[in-house]
Amino acid sequence: MATKKEKLSRLQDLYVHELKDIYSAEKQITKALPKMIKGASSPELKKSFENHLQETERQINRLEEIFQRLDETSRGPKCQGMEGLLKEGGDFLKEDATPEVLDAGIIVGAQKVEHYEIAAYGSLCTFAETLGFDEDLELLKQSIEEEKMADEKLTELAEAGVNEESVS
Ligand code: FE
Ligand code: FE
Ligand code: ZN
């Protein structure tokens, strides 16, 4: 592609590259979650998105702390993976669906987002560990735990009725 590229020669370069990617992803998520809160019908689903929006703000703060420590800017290319996932989820919100089916579909989209984040933070944890960045690792572990909990909560909501309500 035509975008100017810096040479990545050390694991730390890849670490920074991936930090910028998840930073962009988290930023995009803070803009998408309010739409998902609005689109969801189940009060519990709304609540879990509201909670995850607050967590996402904290995850962004953690990443900013890491960039500061590395003396790196958070600016980088837009995460295209998240852009695609959120576009797909946003399009689904516009479907003519019953509230129950819409909720079940919103959960599918949200879980795809969580899995992207879990993959990203998982790799970042491994890199931080390898590089001996212990303080970073602590912060990244907190974020990956929140993503895993968010994913589990969505599974719970799907199993505990949101899906069942859409069967009949
Ligand atoms: Fe996140
Ligand atoms: Fe990405
Ligand atoms: Zn998340």
Side-chain angles (χ1 to χ4, degrees):
M1 303 297 275
T3 46
K4 97 170 165 58
K5 296 224 168 91
E6 247 173 82
K7 185 162 184 177
L8 307 173
S9 50
R10 304 171 304 159
L11 182 62
Q12 187 169 333
D13 299 330
L14 179 60
Y15 178 58
V16 171
H17 180 274
E18 294 305 313
L19 283 168
K20 288 176 187 229
D21 185 72
I22 191 69
Y23 185 79
S24 162
E26 297 285 20
K27 284 284 196 183
Q28 294 180 56
I29 291 166
T30 59
K31 290 194 198 116
L33 273 169
K35 293 175 209 160
M36 290 157 76
I37 293 165
K38 237 180 111 188
S41 300
S42 148
E44 254 208 287
L45 184 55
K46 278 181 191 282
K47 226 180 77 199
S48 96
F49 285 146
E50 277 159 12
N51 176 53
H52 200 52
L53 180 54
Q54 289 179 359
E55 282 174 340
T56 303
E57 303 281 3
R58 288 200 291 273
Q59 293 166 356
I60 287 171
N61 291 340
R62 288 185 197 119
L63 290 168
E64 284 169 352
E65 192 182 322
I66 292 173
F67 285 123
Q68 232 167 25
R69 199 159 32 233
L70 293 166
D71 201 21
E72 293 277 353
T73 159
S74 59
R75 284 192 65 89
K78 189 167 193 181
C79 170
Q80 295 180 62
M82 193 53 67
E83 186 176 31
L85 288 174
L86 294 176
K87 169 102 176 41
E88 198 173 291
D91 283 352
F92 181 78
L93 279 175
K94 292 178 219 141
E95 293 283 350
D96 184 15
T98 64
E100 294 80 9
V101 171
L102 199 66
D103 276 0
I106 290 171
I107 290 176
V108 176
Q111 288 197 287
K112 288 176 179 171
V113 167
E114 294 314 314
H115 283 232
Y116 184 101
E117 293 185 285
I118 291 165
Y121 281 117
S123 298
L124 284 167
C125 284
T126 304
F127 295 162
E129 195 168 11
T130 305
L131 292 163
F133 296 159
D134 298 342
E135 290 160 300
D136 291 10
L137 181 59
E138 270 325 296
L139 295 177
L140 294 166
K141 272 185 180 169
Q142 288 173 36
S143 294
I144 198 173
E145 275 319 304
E146 288 170 355
E147 309 298 13
K148 285 180 182 170
M149 296 284 284
D151 180 50
E152 275 168 34
K153 179 72 192 169
L154 288 167
T155 298
E156 232 174 73
L157 287 176
E159 287 173 352
V162 175
N163 279 2
E164 256 152 69
E165 282 161 30
S166 57
V167 171
S168 49

